Amino acid sequence: MTGIDIFKIWAPTEARWVDWVRPVPFVSIDNGFEVYEVIDFTIPNISYIKESKKDTAIIVDLPGNESIKEGLATAKLGFRPIPIYNGTDEQKGAMATVDNHSIKIGLIKGARELQKMEISNDAPPTFLLDSNRMNRFKMNVSVFDNSWDIYAQDIPSAEYFLKNGINKIIVRGEKIQKDLKKILYKFQKKGIKILYTNGYEEPKEVKIKKTLEKDD
Amino acid sequence: MKLVSIPKDKYNDYRLNLIFNAYKWDPQFLDNNTVAKYALVITEQEHKELEKLTEKLDKETRQAEEILNKNLEFTKPLALPKKIYKELKNMKNYQPEKHIRLMRYDFHPTIDKNWVVSEVNSDVPGGFAEASIMPQIAIDVLKEDKYWYKNFGDILTNAIVKKVKPKGTIMLVHCTSYSDDRQVMQFLGDKLKNMGFNIIYGAADHLRFKNNEAISILDGNEGKVDGIFRFTPLEWLIDIKPKHWQGYFDTITPSCNHPIAIFAQTKRFPLVWDFLEKQGVDLSTWRELLPETLEVKDAKNKESYIYKPACGRVGEKISIKEACKDDEYEKIIADVKKHPKKYLAQKRFNSKPVISEDGESFHVCLGSYSVDGKHSGYYARISKLPRIDSNAADIPVLIERGCE
C-alpha cells in the first residue's frame, strides 16, 4: 500500500471529522516501507469508556504507536480515530529529537486493523497525538529538532464541536500537556467540559488554568 | 479575472492529488478547507499588466534597498528590532549579483481602481508548490488547453543554478518543527536534488560562518555549504538566538534571500520613501499602488485607516474589524496603543470581490513573484472575508490564452 492508499483508509471522504486527518506522516510512506519493521501491534482493551457517545470526543495523547493502538481500541467502541501527527522526517544521517518514523509504521498497521472494522460515518472523533512530540532535548546544537506542538488550528474550533453536538472532551494520557492545555482552556471557556483519564480511572472533569501565551 | 469551478465529481481526487503530489500538507486550517474549489483565471492582458507592474515594483525595491544599505542612518523610521539594526552595518559587502533575490508582491482587485498592492513579501515568501504544481493539476482536471501558467519553481531553481556551483551543497534553512515550513522546503529540495544538488534540510543554528562562508554543523551532514536558501524569517533568527547568526549578514555564500530583504520586509518601508526619493530613487509605481501609509500617531482622528504590524505575516494582527474573531480586534488595538512603533496605519482599500459561477463571492489576494528582477509566477488565495489570512483557501492561477 502507498501513503495515499493508507491515508484514504484513515480519512474516507464520506465520514465526518476526517478533514482534520493530518497528511504529514502519510506523504512519505512508500510501497514496502514497513518491510523490516517488527512491532507489537496488539490493540489494548480499555475500560475508562464503555461505548461511544454522540456528545463526547476523545484525545488520546500517548507515546508513539501506543496512541494509534489506543485510538483503534476506541474505534472498536464506535469512535472514528483521527490521526493529527504533524512531525516531519529528520535530515538523512542526522540524529533527531523525535522518532516520527515509528508513527508511519503504526499508521500502516493501523490501516489494516481499520479495514476490518465498521465505523459509522457520523461516529464521534478520537484525535490521536504522540506525547513524545515536544521532546526538545538536544545533547548539542547539531541535532535535528523535529519536535512539534499541537495548535488550535490543527483541530476543529470549540464552536464547531458544539455545533456538531460535542460538549465533552476526554483527554487520555499521562498528563495534559501544555500545548493541549492552551487549546482546551479556551474550549472550556466556551462551554466544553474537559475530562481527564490516565487510562485506569474513570474520566474526571478537570479545570484547566490559563497558560500565559506570548500574545497575551 | 474569473473563478472557474473544479468539477464537483473531481474535487476530492483533485484535493488528494494536491496533498500527495503538490506538497499541500496543510489542507485544513481550523474549520476551513484551504484548497479552493475553483481556479483563478486571469486574462492575457491582466497577466501582461501584472508582469509589468511586478517588474517595475521590483526594480524600485531593489534600488531602494541598495541606497538604504549605504545610508543606514536614515533607516530609523523602519523601527527594526535593535539586534537586527546592529547587524546591518555588516552588509556593506553585499553584492546583489552574487545572491538570488526573491520577492512576492500581493495584488488586490479593488472597487476604486484596478489594482492595489498591500505589501511585498520581501524576506521569505512561501507558496512555492501552489505556484508550480497546483496550476498543472488544475489544468489536467479542467481538461482545457486554453489555459497556461508560469511555473514559478522552474524559474526559481534556474536562478539558483546560475549562482550556486554545480552539484554543490545547499542548506534549506527553516523552522524544522513546523511541517508547513517543511512542505515548502521539501518541494524546493526535491526539485534541486533532481538537478544534481546535495540538499540539507536544517535549522538556522545548523550553519556557522568562517571567512564569511557558510559551513553546516548538522549531525552527519557537516561541511562546506555552497548555497543558503533561508525560509526562517530574519526577525525570528534573533528570537531563537543561534550562535553566530550574525554570519548571515555578511556571508559571501550565495543566499536566497540575503538579509538585505529586511528593508522592504517591514511594512514600515514606505516611511523612508521621502528620503529615498531625495536620493533619486524612483518609487512612482509603489506610490501608485500602495495605499497611503502613516505612522500610527499621524492617523489619529482620520477615518478609514487600519493598523498592520510592521513584522506581520499571512494577514496576522491586521485590524480589519469584520475579519477579527472573538476579542482579537480589541487585543490588536490595545497592542497598537502599547507599541505604536511596531505598527503602521494604512488607508483601507475596498477589495472588489470576484463572483463564482455558482454565485459565491470571494476576496482575492494575487501574489506575484519576482526572481532577480523578472516576473516569475503567481500564488493566490481567496477568502469570504476581506482580510486574506491563514483561513483563506489556496487557488491555482491560470492564464487564458488569447483572452484580452
Side-chain angles (χ1 to χ4, degrees):
Chain A
M1 281 197 289
T2 61
I4 197 164
D5 297 328
I6 294 154
F7 183 81
K8 281 177 176 175
I9 295 168
W10 284 95
T13 47
E14 63 281 7
R16 282 172 73 193
W17 307 102
V18 297
D19 288 343
W20 283 272
V21 174
R22 287 297 283 191
V24 177
F26 296 93
V27 292
S28 54
I29 294 175
D30 295 321
N31 275 324
F33 181 85
E34 56 170 340
V35 172
Y36 303 106
E37 301 284 340
V38 181
I39 56 166
D40 171 24
F41 207 77
T42 311
I43 298 172
N45 289 315
I46 54 172
S47 57
Y48 57 87
I49 190 159
K50 305 284 179 236
E51 58 186 2
S52 68
K53 290 175 187 164
K54 295 281 178 214
D55 65 350
T56 304
I58 302 176
I59 297 174
V60 173
D61 191 6
L62 290 171
N65 273 325
E66 297 305 310
S67 58
I68 299 175
K69 290 190 273 182
E70 184 115 347
L72 292 168
T74 70
K76 284 185 171 178
L77 301 177
F79 288 89
R80 164 78 54 193
I82 306 290
I84 50 172
Y85 308 104
N86 213 8
T88 56
D89 290 345
E90 66 275 19
Q91 165 65 30
K92 205 174 170 188
M95 191 186 293
T97 53
V98 180
D99 172 19
N100 292 318
H101 175 80
S102 70
I103 292 291
K104 297 181 201 175
I105 308 295
L107 290 170
I108 297 168
K109 292 194 182 292
R112 295 209 181 98
E113 296 297 327
L114 267 180
Q115 280 180 310
K116 297 177 204 160
M117 298 182 198
E118 269 193 35
I119 305 173
S120 160
N121 281 342
D122 66 346
T126 299
F127 295 95
L128 313 182
L129 282 171
D130 176 6
S131 61
N132 291 328
R133 66 185 173 282
M134 287 197 286
N135 181 11
R136 300 215 161 100
F137 174 73
K138 287 162 72 170
M139 62 178 82
N140 62 58
V141 73
S142 74
V143 173
F144 189 95
D145 181 0
N146 58 349
S147 64
W148 54 283
D149 286 48
I150 186 83
Y151 295 102
Q153 63 260 29
D154 299 328
I155 59 174
S157 67
E159 290 82 1
Y160 189 94
F161 276 117
L162 290 167
K163 205 172 141 192
N164 285 275
I166 304 280
N167 54 32
K168 289 189 199 85
I169 295 177
I170 299 173
V171 180
R172 154 70 173 118
E174 287 152 2
K175 60 179 181 176
I176 305 182
Q177 303 213 62
K178 65 177 181 186
D179 56 348
L180 205 47
K181 273 185 183 169
K182 282 183 196 168
I183 301 169
L184 297 179
Y185 169 76
K186 289 178 180 166
F187 279 22
Q188 204 168 38
K189 275 184 84 175
K190 289 185 174 169
I192 295 178
K193 205 180 265 190
I194 308 297
L195 299 98
Y196 167 75
T197 176
N198 57 11
Y200 302 104
E201 294 161 17
E202 289 283 305
K204 284 193 188 101
E205 188 173 355
V206 286
K207 287 278 170 236
I208 294 171
K209 286 182 190 156
K210 187 176 183 180
T211 322
L212 196 65
E213 284 181 62
K214 212 178 167 186
D215 291 345
D216 289 339
Chain B
M1 68 169 58
K2 62 183 176 186
L3 296 170
V4 173
S5 297
I6 303 295
K8 271 186 185 154
D9 59 331
K10 292 180 181 162
Y11 178 77
N12 285 337
D13 285 342
Y14 167 73
R15 188 172 185 265
L16 214 50
N17 201 354
L18 292 178
I19 292 171
F20 282 87
N21 298 312
Y23 304 84
K24 185 70 192 143
W25 301 353
D26 54 351
Q28 183 77 14
F29 186 94
L30 263 175
D31 306 337
N32 304 306
N33 175 4
T34 60
V35 177
K37 298 190 174 180
Y38 311 92
L40 181 69
V41 175
I42 60 172
T43 63
E44 293 264 8
Q45 192 185 349
E46 285 168 330
H47 163 61
K48 280 178 197 157
E49 190 189 359
L50 286 164
E51 194 173 50
K52 198 171 139 193
L53 290 172
T54 303
E55 291 185 2
K56 281 169 90 176
L57 285 168
D58 206 66
K59 190 177 172 193
E60 292 174 12
T61 309
R62 285 180 297 119
Q63 276 181 354
E65 56 196 22
E66 288 205 43
I67 295 291
L68 290 171
N69 196 29
K70 288 177 189 149
N71 295 276
L72 293 177
E73 66 277 22
F74 292 99
T75 61
K76 290 262 163 70
L78 299 178
L80 295 170
K82 273 183 194 159
K83 282 184 184 171
I84 290 184
Y85 188 76
K86 251 177 73 183
E87 299 307 323
L88 297 182
K89 62 181 185 304
N90 295 323
M91 300 197 302
K92 293 284 178 229
N93 65 350
Y94 173 66
Q95 291 177 279
E97 65 282 5
K98 300 269 186 211
H99 303 280
I100 301 110
R101 190 72 183 96
L102 161 68
M103 287 186 258
R104 197 188 71 217
Y105 298 84
D106 284 350
F107 286 81
H108 305 256
T110 65
I111 290 167
D112 320 314
K113 56 178 181 175
N114 207 7
W115 297 107
V116 152
V117 168
S118 57
E119 60 188 46
V120 55
N121 294 281
S122 164
D123 188 29
V124 289
F128 298 176
E130 291 87 339
S132 312
I133 309 177
M134 196 181 197
Q136 187 56 55
I137 293 177
I139 289 173
D140 293 345
V141 169
L142 294 170
K143 290 193 168 42
E144 292 274 9
D145 57 10
K146 61 183 176 186
Y147 301 135
W148 66 283
Y149 71 103
K150 248 187 184 178
N151 190 321
F152 166 75
D154 285 352
I155 297 170
L156 176 63
T157 49
N158 285 335
I160 293 171
V161 166
K162 282 185 195 160
K163 297 192 179 170
V164 180
K165 79 168 194 192
K167 297 186 179 175
T169 294
I170 300 175
M171 184 179 279
L172 305 181
V173 174
H174 64 293
C175 298
T176 52
S177 288
Y178 294 157
S179 65
D180 46 354
D181 281 20
R182 179 61 177 266
Q183 69 188 26
V184 182
M185 294 295 91
Q186 192 73 45
F187 160 75
L188 186 61
D190 288 349
K191 219 167 157 54
L192 289 169
K193 195 177 166 194
N194 286 337
M195 297 169 103
F197 290 103
N198 174 39
I199 298 302
I200 301 176
Y201 297 91
D205 52 358
H206 289 141
L207 280 184
R208 291 287 183 270
F209 296 88
K210 194 176 175 189
N211 301 326
N212 300 118
E213 288 186 310
I215 297 159
S216 166
I217 59 145
L218 176 62
D219 178 43
N221 292 268
E222 296 85 353
K224 189 172 178 269
V225 167
D226 305 295
I228 303 167
F229 194 98
R230 179 174 54 83
F231 200 61
T232 303
L234 203 57
E235 69 272 18
W236 290 12
L237 288 189
I238 56 168
D239 284 346
I240 55 178
K241 298 187 186 78
K243 277 182 194 167
H244 311 299
W245 65 271
Q246 295 91 338
Y248 285 91
F249 286 81
D250 57 4
T251 185
I252 54 169
T253 302
S255 305
C256 180
N257 277 314
H258 185 281
I260 195 88
I262 196 67
F263 294 129
Q265 176 59 37
T266 166
K267 309 297 181 274
R268 292 171 62 90
F269 174 50
L271 302 178
V272 292
W273 286 0
D274 289 346
F275 161 74
L276 286 165
E277 283 170 332
K278 280 179 198 156
Q279 306 305 306
V281 179
D282 172 17
L283 291 164
S284 55
T285 319
W286 266 118
R287 291 268 188 209
E288 185 195 333
L289 296 174
L290 190 86
E292 187 187 22
T293 302
L294 303 170
E295 285 277 10
V296 167
K297 66 177 168 54
D298 297 331
K300 256 185 191 169
N301 306 323
K302 284 194 173 186
E303 275 183 24
S304 309
Y305 280 77
I306 54 165
Y307 300 117
K308 291 170 88 170
C311 296
R313 290 176 194 274
V314 285
E316 289 167 340
K317 291 189 175 178
I318 298 177
S319 68
I320 297 178
K321 202 168 187 178
E322 66 272 29
C324 293
K325 270 186 91 181
D326 302 329
D327 58 352
E328 188 188 357
Y329 182 78
E330 288 70 26
K331 276 188 172 174
I332 295 171
I333 299 300
D335 202 42
V336 171
K337 279 184 185 161
K338 206 170 159 188
H339 307 288
K341 290 280 180 194
K342 287 189 178 176
Y343 287 83
L344 55 100
Q346 197 166 76
K347 180 103 174 151
R348 188 172 169 177
F349 60 86
N350 293 314
S351 167
K352 184 181 175 185
V354 182
I355 315 292
S356 70
E357 294 156 328
D358 45 0
E360 299 252 29
S361 167
F362 294 95
H363 296 275
V364 176
C365 175
L366 178 53
S368 182
Y369 291 102
S370 65
V371 175
D372 288 340
K374 291 284 175 203
H375 177 260
S376 313
Y378 300 106
Y379 164 63
R381 286 161 294 157
I382 57 170
S383 170
K384 296 214 164 189
L385 294 168
R387 185 175 76 176
I388 308 287
D389 55 20
S390 301
N391 291 294
D394 290 331
I395 186 167
V397 181
L398 309 178
I399 304 159
E400 189 166 352
R401 273 193 189 90
C403 181
E404 298 291 325

